[in-house]
Amino acid sequence: MGTHSDDSIREFATRHTAEVEPLHTKAALASWEFATTGKPEAMQRAAELEKLYRGIYARPHEYDFLHKTSVEKFTDPVMKRMHRVLLNAYTGHQMSPEALAAIVDKEKEVAAVYNNFRADFRGEKVPNNVLDEVLHKSSDIVERREAWEASKQIGPLVADNIRELARMRNTEARRLHFSDFHTQSLRLQEFDVDELMALLADLDRASMKGFTEVKAKVDEEIAERCGLTDADASLPWNYPDPYFQGAPRSKVELDKYFANKDLVAITTRFFDRIGLPVDDLIERSDLFEREGKNQHAFCTDIDRRGDVRVLCNVRPTARWMGTLLHEYGHAVYDKFIEPSLPWLLRSPSHILTTEAVAIFFGSLVTTDAWLIEYAGVPAEEAAAVAAAAREQDRMQKLIFTRWVLVMTHFERGMYQDPERDLNALWWELVQAKQLVRKPEGRDMPDWATKMHVALAPAYYHNYLLGDLYACQLRHFILSKVIPSGDMREMVTSPKLGEFFREGLFKMGDLFDWRETIRRTTGEPLNPSYFIAQTKEG
């Protein structure tokens, strides 16, 4: 075991940052160009830069240095944290240049298919937004089934490559003595694997009764609206999205409050009012749909020096209003990280902490306080809207919990044995966790239609844990930061921005996620606040 000092890590980190920072920025810019244009040359440039960037972390002699360093000798907690961040990054990339290049090429190949794919629906090539609208609104079962099946057309185009990616990732993880890539990913995200799976099991048990009751009501409404039997109502194309990952739209129609409104201007006004201005971020963003552009929504920090950007495909709907607040939640976190921190620590503490912030802000769109202040909903309507929205949020939490269980257990099973019948595994989990009926005789790679399985592996649990932390944050804010507990004060007060800026964002990645949560809320991650919001009443 080595006895390297703080100075040795400081010197290593200085040299490392000087090399990796410019590559990180160039790779991020190339990926942004690819996401916003879909151009093959941009994809190729992004892939080559990513190989160079990730290749630095693949160097065995640098990994050996970090691996053999004894952190017990460190006196500077910043250096100790930097060592952990570096060691995790290097461990995840320990592979030959050939293996690294092959994985990056395969990932970019799959990304290009997702980016440029448009489903064939009733003789036209259509974006996901069109299919989503059919599944949200149509009562025509034939149309619904066609839209759902159209959303699955991409599966056979990418399934073989995703399975090959799983094999490749597993090979490299096992070289480092991990049982598989999924286990390696959780460990490098600083999770105790058994602890995480136990937490998910607890949430499985805590959510099942409420979910069963909610789903029975959903199925009953579907059956009544579409003239179906209860059994047929539980077929997958009858739910409000292709995966049943979200609740049906509220009976109180929120879209009317956003029709013909400038959602970007509303976003700007809100964040400015709470003291987290986003004008500069919006100026660099790409927010409206266009041919060849990535159809999803995300936030990216280009350089960890303020160049933060959001990609969306905005339409004037409540869903896209919430998405804008969600993505700019990520963005303000990145923007307000303490700039004097070492570059390597100038990122959110964890995936789950940035997801929590995004979920916190995205959820405000369904509160009466936010709707009155920013969407101009008349006060007399706001109470009814908010009551329906609270029930909607309860349903959403229950439904999304079950969906995350499907995703997490599917990925775990896929990486434990990529050769198994993944089509069957997918539907076993969907039926057991979501109680959605498998269409008779269906044997298609529906699992491959979810982009995260290929390109954001071992990620989905962070959305659920982020929601747990978001509920904990809201409880803390309304009891300590805004002692009145008044939501209207919260969504208009600079105190909210100050809390996030000084109490969370500023820390960056200075502490692991457990310590970050303790410092922001005074207690460890506590599922009770989330579970309370899934109860009736």
Side-chain angles (χ1 to χ4, degrees):
M1 186 68 71
T3 57
H4 302 289
S5 67
D6 294 342
D7 287 342
S8 65
I9 291 298
R10 188 177 289 107
E11 291 164 7
F12 179 95
T14 299
R15 291 194 305 272
H16 174 81
T17 300
E19 183 177 17
V20 81
E21 182 182 354
L23 268 179
H24 173 277
T25 300
K26 288 176 184 176
L29 286 169
S31 293
W32 176 259
E33 183 183 355
F34 172 50
T36 54
T37 67
K39 292 179 180 177
E41 58 270 26
M43 181 195 77
Q44 187 58 38
R45 187 162 60 255
E48 294 305 316
L49 286 164
E50 189 167 347
K51 287 175 196 173
L52 291 172
Y53 174 73
R54 290 167 66 171
I56 293 171
Y57 290 97
R59 292 171 183 166
H61 63 285
E62 295 183 358
Y63 167 73
D64 287 343
F65 166 80
L66 293 165
H67 185 65
K68 292 173 181 176
T69 296
S70 175
V71 295
E72 288 78 12
K73 303 289 183 181
F74 287 15
T75 58
D76 185 344
V78 175
M79 291 303 108
K80 190 171 184 178
R81 179 61 183 161
M82 196 129 62
H83 172 266
R84 171 48 56 189
V85 169
L86 283 164
L87 182 58
N88 285 344
Y90 272 86
T91 302
H93 288 87
Q94 286 309 291
M95 60 189 81
S96 70
E98 294 76 18
L100 177 61
I103 289 173
V104 172
D105 285 341
K106 187 67 69 177
E107 288 172 347
K108 294 303 180 187
E109 181 183 343
V110 172
V113 179
Y114 283 114
N115 235 39
N116 293 300
F117 179 79
R118 299 295 183 273
D120 187 351
F121 177 61
R122 298 195 160 184
E124 291 184 42
K125 296 291 186 183
V126 300
N128 290 344
N129 273 332
V130 170
L131 303 178
D132 289 345
E133 283 301 298
V134 171
L135 293 176
H136 267 294
K137 293 181 176 179
S138 178
S139 58
D140 181 335
I141 292 302
V142 174
E143 183 183 33
R144 295 187 66 85
R145 180 169 185 168
E146 289 179 10
W148 182 83
E149 290 182 340
S151 76
K152 306 302 179 186
Q153 290 167 3
I154 194 173
L157 303 180
V158 293
D160 288 346
N161 278 337
I162 296 174
R163 197 188 292 264
E164 181 59 21
L165 269 171
R167 295 186 192 107
M168 295 162 76
R169 289 165 175 162
N170 269 354
T171 296
E172 300 309 314
R174 286 168 180 159
R175 280 199 319 103
L176 293 174
H177 309 294
F178 292 99
S179 58
D180 56 62
F181 173 79
H182 192 265
T183 299
Q184 178 192 40
S185 296
L186 295 182
R187 289 276 298 280
L188 297 182
Q189 290 174 35
E190 301 187 282
F191 287 116
D192 177 288
V193 179
D194 292 338
E195 181 185 14
L196 175 63
M197 299 313 292
L199 173 59
L200 292 177
D202 288 344
L203 292 170
D204 190 344
R205 287 187 291 272
S207 65
M208 189 58 179
K209 182 176 182 292
F211 171 75
T212 302
E213 293 168 354
V214 160
K215 184 177 180 295
K217 292 178 183 177
V218 171
D219 287 354
E220 185 180 330
E221 290 174 2
I222 289 169
E224 184 177 344
R225 187 178 77 248
C226 300
L228 299 171
T229 65
D230 288 346
D232 285 344
S234 65
L235 285 162
W237 44 79
N238 293 321
Y239 296 103
D241 64 75
Y243 305 100
F244 192 31
Q245 67 184 59
R249 287 183 181 174
S250 172
K251 291 178 182 178
V252 176
E253 182 54 66
L254 289 177
D255 283 352
K256 66 182 179 182
Y257 299 122
F258 300 100
N260 304 314
K261 286 190 177 172
D262 185 339
L263 272 56
V264 177
I266 294 173
T267 302
T268 303
R269 178 169 171 255
F270 165 65
F271 280 104
D272 186 62
R273 199 167 176 192
I274 62 168
L276 299 173
V278 295
D279 310 66
D280 53 333
L281 309 181
I282 284 173
E283 188 176 337
R284 287 188 290 269
S285 297
D286 190 317
L287 300 177
F288 299 96
E289 58 189 334
R290 188 174 60 253
E291 190 68 26
K293 179 183 169 183
N294 187 305
Q295 295 189 75
H296 298 272
F298 64 83
C299 171
T300 181
D301 188 344
I302 298 293
D303 60 1
R304 302 190 186 183
R305 294 184 181 277
D307 187 353
V308 181
R309 307 179 186 188
V310 166
L311 180 144
C312 281
N313 289 274
V314 174
R315 290 188 175 190
T317 65
R319 180 173 78 86
W320 277 109
M321 185 73 258
T323 299
L324 279 168
L325 296 183
H326 180 104
E327 297 304 336
Y328 280 100
H330 285 302
V332 291
Y333 196 154
D334 291 335
K335 175 180 176 178
F336 289 104
I337 290 170
E338 174 55 52
S340 65
L341 283 174
W343 185 87
L344 289 165
L345 301 183
R346 230 175 287 158
S347 64
S349 171
H350 195 276
I351 301 166
L352 80 85
T353 64
T354 186
E355 288 300 343
V357 172
I359 290 165
F360 174 91
F361 283 114
S363 69
L364 294 177
V365 76
T366 56
T367 64
D368 53 347
W370 195 93
L371 288 167
I372 291 168
E373 291 294 333
Y374 299 100
V377 179
E380 60 272 17
E381 292 181 37
V385 171
R390 279 193 296 274
E391 176 58 19
Q392 183 81 356
D393 184 57
R394 172 179 173 264
M395 292 173 64
Q396 175 64 25
K397 281 177 165 50
L398 288 165
I399 290 168
F400 190 69
T401 296
R402 310 307 298 179
W403 165 243
V404 172
L405 293 170
V406 169
M407 283 289 290
T408 304
H409 286 290
F410 175 79
E411 285 191 288
R412 193 143 182 79
M414 180 178 76
Y415 282 103
Q416 286 171 343
D417 180 11
E419 310 312 320
R420 71 188 297 175
D421 186 342
L422 297 178
N423 300 356
L425 173 63
W426 179 259
W427 278 103
E428 286 169 14
L429 289 165
V430 168
Q431 291 183 105
K433 303 298 184 185
Q434 295 180 287
L435 309 181
V436 173
R437 183 175 145 203
K438 177 184 176 182
E440 189 173 350
R442 188 164 183 86
D443 185 21
M444 297 290 287
D446 297 326
W447 52 272
T449 66
K450 191 65 177 173
M451 185 176 69
H452 293 72
V453 175
L455 301 177
Y459 189 103
Y460 234 87
H461 56 278
N462 288 296
Y463 291 125
L464 182 54
L465 298 187
D467 204 352
L468 266 61
Y469 182 32
C471 292
Q472 191 167 329
L473 282 168
R474 179 181 285 201
H475 171 81
F476 180 83
I477 289 166
L478 288 172
S479 58
K480 303 294 184 183
V481 180
I482 310 291
S484 67
D486 184 344
M487 283 287 293
R488 193 131 178 216
E489 181 184 354
M490 185 184 80
V491 301
T492 58
S493 174
K495 290 179 184 177
L496 181 63
E498 183 181 8
F499 164 75
F500 277 113
R501 191 174 58 249
E502 300 299 320
L504 175 57
F505 300 165
K506 190 175 183 178
M507 288 188 285
D509 194 13
L510 195 54
F511 307 102
D512 67 26
W513 64 269
R514 290 175 179 82
E515 180 62 17
T516 297
I517 290 173
R518 278 193 291 269
R519 284 174 178 260
T520 53
T521 65
E523 62 177 328
L525 183 64
N526 184 345
S528 66
Y529 304 111
F530 175 88
I531 292 170
Q533 289 192 31
T534 67
K535 306 295 184 185
E536 284 190 284

